Amino acid sequence: MIKRLLPGLAVFAFYLLVAGVVTWPLASQLSTHLVGWPYGDSHEMARHIWWYNHALRTGQPIFWQPALGYPDGMEGVLLWAHPQQFFPAWLLAFVLPIPAAANLSILLYMALNGWGMYVLAQHLLDGRRGPALLAGLAYMAAPTFQGHLGGGHAGLMVAWTVPLYVWALLRLEQTWVEMRRAQHAVPLHILRLRWFWLAVLFFILSPGGHILQLIYVLLPISGTFALVYLWRRQWGHLLRLIAVNVLGSAALLVFVLPIAQSTFETSAYTEEGGFVRYSADLLSIATPSFFNPLYAGLDYPRRVIGTNLEEGISYVGILGAALALIGVIRFRRARWWLLLAFIAWGLSLGPLLKVFDAPLQVQPDGYASAVTLPWAALQNLPLFNLARTPGRFNFALALAVAALAGYGAAWLWDRMRNVRMHPLLIGFLMVALLVDYQVYWPFPTHDATIPAAVYGLAERDDIRAVLDLPWNNPVAAKDALYLQTAHRKPLIAGHVTRSTPVSPAKLNLLESTLDPVLLDAADADVVILHTGYLADEQVDHARQQLGQPLYEDDALVIFLPPDPSATPSFTAQISDQTRIERSADSYVYALQAGWVDFSGTLTADGRTVELYRDQVMLHRWQVDGDTAFAVPVPVEADRYHVIRLVVSPPCPAQRSPALTCRAVQLDNLNLQMTPESTNPDAGATFEPGVRLLRSRVPSTAESGDNLPVRLWWALDSARSDTDIRFVHVVDDAGEVVAQDDQTLGAQPAGAQWAEQVDIALPDTLPPGRYRVYTGWYTYPAFNRFAVLTDGDSAAEGLVLLSELTIP
């Protein structure tokens, strides 16, 4: 048994040595540095490795994050969806420092990638070990892998089961054919079942480092197999392929469904673009890295991949292309790999053709237009719209090029078989390939040392949570996550991936004011400034607000905010934008429930502007000229809210310089808090899916005044412009003395609406007690909506808002 394992272990050891060379000097810095650029994801990945280990040590939930987004915590389902991204690193962290565990895990996966490709190449090349060894090296050291490793994308380095998936499919196909020829009992034959279930297993394991490899890698591979089977009319093979993919996908639903739900609720995925930015350039396939000393003097690599090195590099290499060409010419069975290469490369180009890192512009009939590609037809489909980085299809391209290079090396191997030095030829080819493929030399690493003062915070029991600033800088946010591995305190912000789900209103107000009262109310007992991402004025402001720091160096300043001398009060930050092309955000904090009077002036030429509180639309205007607005926005007690004005449709993010977007001018913005007042009925429900969530009516008014009535509606079912909302002022005799009856317009199901209804009271209104009612009816039938909430006037379709005194 051991003798059978030794060759495989020797191959793995060889690839582990190569991984150390490719990533040098990482092997000499395992415990002190993290791989990749400081702006990459290494800090984020290291924190999640620590959390796995820490949660297991302390009995906390792994896939829920109570130490992030304090005090609410946040979803950690992404840790569930990517099991191989953090294993075996979290296991190694029981005996190794976090940086060493993270770095060693990456080196092991790189070696496994080479070994997996070696196993596949041995099958493809009929046991030729030298060429198979080269194919494994071409796969594990492919520039696509190196580029992503430079960005700290540890999960994408887990690709060892991808070639094994292809190997199992080929063995399943081969075994079936052999059994048919031998006239075995095919349906129940144990060998057929073995390769079938191995194919399913490797399908399930392949996206274990990143679930979207299901799209980036498995989709083009399985699609290529399907196209070949369709071309050859091999229906049995096609059905078995479909069965493997259906069973594998069904098993992966355990991971896909939770992550899909979580991701669709994350604005960083649903609102950002990226399909064009993170796609490959047409020329990238022939563009080496400008960090490779051999090509540092070339000009065009920086123009092609200078801003997209991690996601956009797809270089196949001079030697890799030459060997692939030989393989295609000399081995007919190699040509289907060329089909996979073209499919993967075509998808990696994204929705628009880019040349020199910009969409190529053509001008048919004098109109500028981009060149659309096949990915444009898929990118907005459910699940596909999560794959915002088409450049990652290059992982499938790397697999195809490695296989083709193995075929080319096999042809040279056969030609040189009678020459005693022919193993040296393979050795020379591997060295040349490695030198040509090298993306970085030396490979980027960055210091992972954490100051002792941060570790010292872990010993303090008086710290409830930590606020790291700036909160909205993605690199500073990743650094903050890494510091948690030392101080082990909850973070006010924090994220599992990409961006924090904590309200930007809360974080912006805490950062902009640094008010000890607000900080104490948020339980922020420590404020850490990451000074490399802050202006000097911001650091000076922090000193003025928070006093002398506990610790300070070139990168960090740690403050313990002073005890507050007051209680929290209403706090607002009004948007400083004067022109809206997409949206403008203002932020408020309210200690008490009530209403924020939001007013200003909008100026536009026929644009629609919508008002949102957090993620819910509350009002809408059609702006044509100057439009003054004043809307009462309901706010909750001890809550932070984002008040957002949105232009609909927004100005496009990318547009021709010759075109001008009709933006909206914004003037005289104002936010003012009005505390809640008690009304006889705080809310009410109407039968056709209308709910009154909150209302406010003054208790007194003068004759001839406008009576301001504030209403907040939830429209659970769609409303048409023939549904009329009314507000009536009624005297003791039951006569309506003032009223406002109007439609809210067509509204979709699930909408909300906040409004202030100004009812003109007659000048001759006698002093006395009056009642203010609201309700709904249909026009022109005048059928009132039934009131489902108990009340004295519910039977009449009325909801009492308040009693009014006219002195």
Side-chain angles (χ1 to χ4, degrees), residues 576-753:
D576 58 2
Q577 291 181 234
T578 59
R579 176 184 171 87
I580 314 176
E581 293 192 349
R582 302 180 72 83
S583 64
D585 289 353
S586 299
Y587 311 108
V588 299
Y589 167 77
L591 181 63
Q592 298 175 315
W595 304 81
V596 169
D597 298 318
F598 186 45
S599 60
T601 303
L602 303 170
T603 305
D605 179 18
R607 296 305 306 270
T608 299
V609 178
E610 299 169 343
L611 170 64
Y612 286 79
R613 190 203 74 171
D614 302 326
Q615 302 297 320
V616 178
M617 191 186 76
L618 295 181
H619 212 89
R620 182 191 301 110
W621 303 271
Q622 185 66 29
V623 182
D624 199 356
D626 292 342
T627 301
F629 70 90
V631 177
V633 177
V635 294
E636 310 299 333
D638 195 23
R639 287 278 301 276
Y640 291 85
H641 294 291
V642 179
I643 300 178
R644 174 174 296 168
L645 290 171
V646 176
V647 178
S648 180
C651 294
Q654 298 180 355
R655 61 180 186 268
S656 170
L659 301 177
T660 301
C661 179
R662 293 181 297 136
V664 176
Q665 186 71 27
L666 183 60
D667 299 295
N668 306 319
L669 273 192
N670 187 44
L671 289 165
Q672 186 174 350
M673 178 70 186
T674 302
E676 185 65 280
S677 63
T678 57
N679 293 319
D681 290 328
T685 301
F686 296 84
E687 186 173 10
V690 175
R691 287 179 293 132
L692 177 63
L693 301 177
R694 185 185 297 176
S695 63
R696 185 181 190 276
V697 183
S699 58
T700 62
E702 298 285 343
S703 298
D705 284 352
N706 283 332
L707 178 67
V709 178
R710 297 179 175 185
L711 302 169
W712 179 21
W713 301 100
L715 309 175
D716 297 330
S717 59
R719 303 264 64 87
S720 72
D721 53 11
T722 61
D723 294 329
I724 308 300
R725 182 269 304 132
F726 66 85
V727 179
H728 290 172
V729 180
V730 179
D731 62 16
D732 285 339
E735 297 295 326
V736 176
V737 299
Q739 68 186 89
D740 182 281
D741 296 39
Q742 59 180 287
T743 178
L744 303 185
Q747 300 286 350
Q752 294 188 16
W753 192 263

Side-chain angles (χ1 to χ4, degrees), residues 14 42 89 98 116 140 162 183 221 285-286 407 415 480 522 564 584 586 671 697 723 755 764:
F14 169 74
S42 296
I98 295 297
M140 67 164 287
V162 173
Q183 296 183 347
I221 289 174
I285 197 170
Y407 276 111
R415 302 287 78 71
S586 299
L671 289 165
V697 183
D723 294 329
E755 58 177 340
T764 58

